[in-house]
Amino acid sequence: AFIISPREVSRGKPYPDMLERIASQLQVPLGRLLMVGDSYVDVQMAHSAGAIGIGIPETEEMRRQMLDWDAVIVDSLEQIFFE
């Protein structure tokens, strides 16, 4: 387990640097990395990195902004399943 914060990279959200570092550490291709967030900058970062962005917005306005970044939108973590 590890934590990557903006302090560990050159640029923070919405730039892809944190996800690129995570993918490198996990040795996972960015296209298979899943980013779950509650803000449009989270899914914007996922989009910029080529990762999968899942948004859990608290407001309709945030939902609309997330959709601008091709995010999958869910209402809660319980709606995310892996096959």
Side-chain angles (χ1 to χ4, degrees):
F2 59 88
I3 296 172
I4 301 293
S5 75
R7 286 182 235 130
E8 281 82 42
V9 294
S10 299
R11 303 171 300 170
K13 298 176 194 176
Y15 297 99
D17 299 27
M18 289 190 290
L19 292 180
E20 290 169 348
R21 183 156 181 185
I22 290 167
S24 175
Q25 281 191 238
L26 294 174
Q27 298 181 351
V28 172
L30 279 164
R32 296 196 37 89
L33 195 65
L34 182 80
M35 169 66 184
V36 179
D38 64 352
S39 172
Y40 76 91
V41 293
D42 296 324
V43 295
Q44 182 180 0
M45 178 174 61
H47 180 84
S48 297
I52 301 162
I54 295 182
I56 306 177
E58 292 185 17
T59 66
E60 284 303 313
E61 175 61 20
M62 187 60 66
R63 177 183 299 270
R64 186 195 63 71
Q65 290 177 310
M66 287 178 169
L67 289 172
D68 290 342
W69 297 102
D70 299 324
V72 174
I73 306 297
V74 296
D75 295 317
S76 71
L77 289 172
E78 288 78 26
Q79 291 179 296
I80 302 171
F81 294 93
F82 299 95
E83 292 184 12

